[in-house]
Amino acid sequence: MNLRHVGYRAYQCVFGLGARLLPWRQPETITGPGSLADIPARLTRYGARRPLVVASRRQCADPAFRQMLSRLEGYTLFSDIQPNPPVSTVEAAAALYRQAHCDSLVAVGGGSPMDTAKAAAALVVRPGKAPEQLAGLLKVRRAIPPFIAVPTTAGTGSETTIASVVTGADHHKYAISDLCLIPRCAVLDPLLTVSLPPHTTAETGMDALTHAVEAYIGRFYRTHQTDAMAEEAVVTIFSTLEHACAHGDDVGARQALLTASYQAGVAFTRAGVGNVHAIAHTLGGLYGVGHGLANAVLLPVVLRDYGAAAHRRLARLAELVGLSDDSEADRANAFIDAIFGMNARLGIPTGFTCIREADLPQMAAWAAKEANPTYPVPVIYDRARFIRVIRQVMQ
């Protein structure tokens, strides 16, 4: 380990100790089929009368969503949502919030509507700041308006997290992360996910698995609670995801995956993510690759690359999902093999044809800047190692 890496570990150790003093919280939760209809009453309870509702155009056509809107008075709708939301979209949402004199936010959808709404909320309470000035940890530092998050996919965990990931004009994805961005309430309504096609269910489910695994194998930031949440999420996803992909109308399976995604979100909000996410964000920013798909492809590749540094924790996850073998290393590798196998059965590719050789230095620079020194990974990557791993998923 070189001196720079020693410095990163020292930073993580100090940050991990300091984080134990921060006022971590979880959103209130409303769960069960039809729970979307509870939003108007919850807003009234918060004293909110003029919510900005952030939702994709596809979501706006959903009958249950339209019925919920019909019971809201004074709402303003923002539906100009794009994948990997650019800064311009965030700024437009914040401007509409101010123009309409809104007093709260409701985000309905996958990661993109929630990221847009969170970043817009940050701009609302920090009006003199540009989004890039708020990038990083704990730079918002002001309470945001009442915020209700309603996931329509079981994967991002954004309904629980401190982070909003946005894309700059240079295609660089970065996170605005602050405890004040944790939504006040999360609505986990499985009826909003039953119409998801199998490939979306698969990719978002593997996104949640990545959150849980990276939170579990990281160092310094973990707690007994995050370990428990991550373990439950991993077990549920292994036992339920493939069934939900084949039987999308199984409301019980959909509810289980929503709960697992929420648990994984709670886990990685506190325990952090890792090099899988650092690379995945470059794929989303440069090429528009969906975040869940990027994580799904990268997860077993990075876990294998970590080698013995991750074996003990991965071996424990292997035992929890029913994989047994003679040695700790064999159990860890069996767990990684199981992820490769699940990806194959779900139709997830093994790599990407979009990655250009000329982009590798930029991808490695962005990934290294994101991961170091903050991410408490089992193995610290420098730019050369990021490039070596990315090459493994080039096709």
Side-chain angles (χ1 to χ4, degrees):
M1 182 180 292
N2 61 39
L3 287 177
R4 180 174 295 180
H5 290 186
V6 170
Y8 294 162
R9 289 303 192 201
Y11 175 97
Q12 293 160 16
C13 182
V14 171
F15 185 86
L17 291 172
R20 296 179 185 276
L21 304 176
L22 294 175
W24 297 96
R25 62 178 176 84
Q26 292 176 219
E28 301 175 288
T29 56
I30 307 173
T31 64
S35 53
L36 178 70
D38 294 338
I39 288 178
R42 189 57 57 118
L43 286 170
T44 299
R45 175 178 158 187
Y46 296 153
R49 298 173 181 235
R50 297 182 304 277
L52 178 69
V53 179
V54 180
S56 67
R57 291 189 179 93
R58 183 189 70 81
Q59 190 60 50
C60 290
D62 181 79
F65 177 80
R66 300 303 305 180
Q67 185 176 17
M68 185 273 293
L69 282 185
S70 71
R71 297 174 55 224
L72 285 178
E73 295 182 5
Y75 75 88
T76 300
L77 180 63
F78 182 86
S79 61
D80 188 18
I81 303 298
Q82 301 173 52
N84 303 305
V87 165
S88 58
T89 297
V90 170
E91 292 173 331
L96 181 59
Y97 183 100
R98 297 188 191 101
Q99 178 185 341
H101 303 288
C102 295
D103 60 7
S104 53
L105 297 104
V106 177
V108 184
S112 294
M114 291 196 207
D115 283 341
T116 299
K118 284 184 182 178
L123 294 184
V124 165
V125 298
R126 297 300 301 269
K129 298 289 186 180
E132 56 268 23
Q133 292 176 293
L134 299 175
L137 287 171
L138 306 177
K139 293 183 180 179
V140 182
R141 297 194 299 270
R142 293 181 186 172
I144 66 170
F147 190 119
I148 297 177
V150 189
T152 59
T153 64
T156 70
S158 293
E159 70 276 8
T160 75
T161 70
I162 66 172
S164 167
V165 181
V166 298
T167 306
D170 60 353
H171 303 290
H172 179 204
K173 291 182 75 170
Y174 58 85
I176 300 170
S177 300
D178 200 304
L179 272 68
C180 65
L181 297 183
I182 297 174
R184 183 177 296 191
C185 179
V187 178
L188 307 181
D189 186 339
L191 298 183
L192 299 177
T193 68
V194 294
S195 64
L196 291 175
H199 74 90
T200 304
T201 302
E203 291 171 13
T204 54
M206 294 304 293
D207 189 14
L209 181 66
T210 303
H211 295 152
V213 172
E214 288 207 296
Y216 195 71
I217 65 175
R219 302 172 62 179
F220 301 113
Y221 306 167
R222 296 192 315 261
T223 68
H224 292 305
Q225 182 199 31
T226 65
D227 278 356
M229 289 281 197
E231 288 176 353
E232 289 184 38
V234 168
V235 171
T236 299
I237 293 165
F238 261 78
S239 64
T240 308
L241 180 56
E242 291 181 68
H243 173 82
C245 289
H247 305 279
D249 59 350
D250 186 330
V251 175
R254 293 294 192 178
Q255 183 74 72
L257 288 177
L258 274 174
T259 300
S261 177
Y262 176 89
Q263 291 170 327
V266 171
F268 89 80
T269 291
R270 182 69 177 80
V273 286
N275 290 324
V276 175
H277 272 75
I279 300 171
H281 286 153
T282 72
L283 289 166
L286 277 175
Y287 309 118
V289 175
H291 185 62
L293 175 60
N295 276 342
V297 173
L298 288 163
L299 177 61
V301 174
V302 172
L303 293 181
R304 187 80 81 198
D305 186 74
Y306 283 154
H311 280 172
R312 183 176 67 84
R313 303 288 286 179
L314 293 179
R316 172 59 180 159
L317 292 179
E319 294 165 3
L320 290 172
V321 300
L323 301 173
S324 60
D325 219 314
D326 293 335
S327 71
E328 183 176 270
D330 288 342
R331 290 193 298 278
N333 283 309
F335 183 76
I336 298 168
D337 288 340
I339 297 173
F340 275 118
M342 188 156 56
N343 275 347
R345 293 189 296 274
L346 293 173
I348 291 171
T350 57
F352 303 98
T353 59
C354 59
I355 302 174
R356 297 184 292 264
E357 181 73 23
D359 291 335
L360 292 180
Q362 181 66 83
M363 294 175 72
W366 283 347
K369 183 178 180 181
E370 175 179 334
N372 303 321
T374 308
Y375 288 172
V377 289
V379 178
I380 293 172
Y381 283 7
D382 57 17
R383 294 186 185 189
R385 190 154 181 173
F386 273 118
I387 289 175
R388 190 167 77 234
V389 170
I390 294 169
R391 280 206 173 102
Q392 294 182 48
V393 295
M394 292 177 66
Q395 291 184 341

